[in-house]
C-alpha cells in the first residue's frame, strides 16, 4: 500500500492510496478523506457512477467540507479494475469504469471484475491501517454507485447505520442499465435479483434510514426506474424518503447541491 498523494482540506487530509488487489488482480486506487482530529472516525462510503474513477466525487462532490464539520471520514473507491490486461469494451457502460459492483463470472470479465468482493471485503480490510471506526459505517453513491450503495446496504444491513443515493439505478433488472451488464458479467440465468435494490427491498424489507434524491430534469430517468423503488417502499410500508428535485439533472452540480443534506443525514445516524 502506498500513499499516492496527500492534500490539506478543511483542516483534514485528503489522501489517494494505491494498493495491490487480490480480488481484482490488479493495482487499485481509492480516495480517503480524514477529518481534523485523531480518530477513530466514523466512515461514509461514496460509490461513484459510470465512467468515474475514485477522483470524480473526491474533486467535484464537495463532501469534504461537510465531513470535516461532522468529523466523518470519506472513502471513495474506484468503479472498476484497470490497467494492462484488464478487459474493456468500447461502450462507456461496460468494462473499465463500469464495474456495476458485482462479481463477474463470465469471460472475459471474471478474472478481474470482482467489485462486490473488493468493496465489501477487501477494501474494508485495507482500511484497517487508518484511524477509522468500522463499527460506525454509512454508505451513499451516485447513479451506478447509488445502485451499489442500495444493494450493499440491503445485503449487509448490520454493517451500516444508514444509506442514501443520488439518482440511483433502482431496478437494474428492468433497465438497459442493468440487463446489459448483468448478462455480460453474470450470464443469463444467474441470480440478477441479488443485485437489484427494488427486488431486494420487496423480498426482505429494509430497516436502515434511507434518503434518495432524484433530479427531475435527469435525461436518464427512464433508465434509473425511481418509481419502481417508490412503489416497493409503499407496498412494504418501508420507511424512506425519496425527494424529487425539480430542474436538476444527473451531473455533479446536482450531487454537490444536496451533498450537505446527505452528510448531515448520515452524521445523525453515525452519532446516534
Amino acid at each position: 500500500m502506498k500513499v499516492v498523494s496527500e492534500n490539506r482540506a478543511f483542516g483534514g487530509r485528503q489522501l489517494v492510496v494505491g494498493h495491490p488487489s487480490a480480488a481484482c488482480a490488479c493495482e487499485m486506487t481509492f480516495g480517503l478523506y480524514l477529518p481534523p482530529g485523531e480518530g477513530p472516525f466514523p466512515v461514509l462510503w461514496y460509490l461513484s457512477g459510470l465512467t468515474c474513477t475514485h477522483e470524480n466525487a473526491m474533486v467535484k462532490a464537495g463532501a469534504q467540507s461537510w465531513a470535516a464539520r461532522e468529523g466523518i471520514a470519506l472513502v471513495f473507491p474506484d468503479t472498476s479494475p484497470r490497467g494492462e490486461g484488464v478487459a474493456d469494451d468500447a461502450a462507456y457502460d461496460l468494462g473499465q469504469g463500469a464495474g456495476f459492483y458485482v462479481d463477474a463470472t463470465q469471460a472475459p470479465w471474471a478474472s478481474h471484475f470482482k467489485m462486490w468482493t473488493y468493496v465489501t471485503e477487501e477494501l474494508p480490510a485495507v482500511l484497517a491501517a487508518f484511524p477509522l471506526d468500522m463499527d460506525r459505517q454509512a454508505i451513499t453513491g451516485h447513479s451506478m454507485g447509488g445502485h451499489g450503495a442500495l444493494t450493499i446496504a440491503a445485503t449487509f444491513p448490520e454493517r451500516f447505520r444508514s444509506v442514501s443515493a443520488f439518482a440511483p439505478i433502482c431496478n437494474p433488472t428492468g433497465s438497459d442499465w442493468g440487463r446489459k451488464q448483468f448478462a455480460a458479467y453474470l450470464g443469463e440465468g444467474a441470480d440478477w435479483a441479488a443485485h437489484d435494490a427494488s427486488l431486494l427491498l420487496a423480498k426482505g424489507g429494509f430497516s436502515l434510514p434511507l434518503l434518495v434524491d432524484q433530479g427531475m430534469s435527469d435525461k436518464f430517468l427512464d433508465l434509473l426506474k425511481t418509481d419502481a423503488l417508490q412503489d416497493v417502499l409503499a407496498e412494504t410500508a418501508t420507511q424512506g424518503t425519496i425527494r424529487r428535485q425539480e430542474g436538476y439533472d444527473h451531473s455533479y452540480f446536482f450531487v454537490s447541491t444536496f451533498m450537505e443534506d446527505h452528510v448531515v443525514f448520515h452524521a445523525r445516524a453515525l452519532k446516534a
Side-chain angles (χ1 to χ4, degrees):
M1 185 169 60
K2 59 183 178 181
V3 175
V4 177
S5 66
E6 178 174 341
N7 297 94
R8 195 75 167 167
F10 302 99
R13 295 185 294 152
Q14 178 62 63
L15 308 176
V16 174
V17 181
H19 70 102
S21 167
C24 296
C26 65
E27 185 81 5
M28 294 293 286
T29 303
F30 64 92
L32 173 63
Y33 178 70
L34 298 173
E38 297 183 359
F41 305 108
V43 179
L44 175 58
W45 293 77
Y46 183 102
L47 305 186
S48 291
L50 288 167
T51 75
C52 291
T53 70
H54 68 281
E55 187 176 36
N56 296 72
M58 189 181 81
V59 173
K60 296 179 180 180
Q64 290 91 338
S65 62
W66 314 119
R69 186 184 70 185
E70 300 293 344
I72 294 172
L74 303 169
V75 179
F76 303 99
D78 202 346
T79 57
S80 79
R82 300 180 190 273
E84 186 177 351
V86 176
D88 202 5
D89 191 271
Y92 75 96
D93 58 356
L94 189 68
Q96 295 187 37
F100 255 79
Y101 304 100
V102 300
D103 280 354
T105 59
Q106 305 299 300
W109 315 105
S111 57
H112 294 94
F113 280 72
K114 304 291 186 182
M115 289 304 294
W116 180 269
T117 294
Y118 177 70
V119 171
T120 66
E121 297 180 20
E122 186 173 37
L123 187 51
V126 171
L127 292 173
F130 299 93
L132 304 175
D133 183 354
M134 300 303 282
D135 290 328
R136 292 187 293 160
Q137 297 185 66
I139 191 167
T140 188
H142 173 226
S143 193
M144 179 186 73
H147 141 76
L150 292 173
T151 56
I152 289 171
T155 305
F156 301 102
E158 72 287 346
R159 185 179 300 184
F160 300 99
R161 302 281 186 91
S162 52
V163 57
S164 73
F166 301 86
I169 304 170
C170 298
N171 182 209
T173 62
S175 169
D176 287 341
W177 271 0
R179 287 187 298 238
K180 172 184 177 179
Q181 293 80 9
F182 290 175
Y185 295 147
L186 304 176
E188 298 288 351
D191 184 14
W192 292 6
H195 295 286
D196 186 309
S198 294
L199 298 182
L200 285 170
L201 268 62
K203 181 179 179 181
F206 204 64
S207 59
L208 297 175
L210 169 65
L211 172 64
V212 173
D213 273 308
Q214 175 59 62
M216 297 312 293
S217 293
D218 191 324
K219 66 181 180 180
F220 303 116
L221 275 175
D222 61 326
L223 296 170
L224 300 173
K225 306 291 183 183
T226 310
D227 288 343
L229 184 64
Q230 183 80 69
D231 290 345
V232 169
L233 293 179
E235 291 165 5
T236 59
T238 300
Q239 295 297 311
T241 300
I242 297 180
R243 306 191 304 186
R244 299 173 188 265
Q245 307 290 2
E246 293 296 332
Y248 285 91
D249 58 20
H250 201 71
S251 71
Y252 268 95
F253 295 109
F254 157 66
V255 172
S256 60
T257 297
F258 300 103
M259 180 56 72
E260 180 184 10
D261 292 352
H262 285 244
V263 173
V264 170
F265 168 78
H266 291 295
R268 289 172 180 159
L270 290 168
K271 297 177 180 179

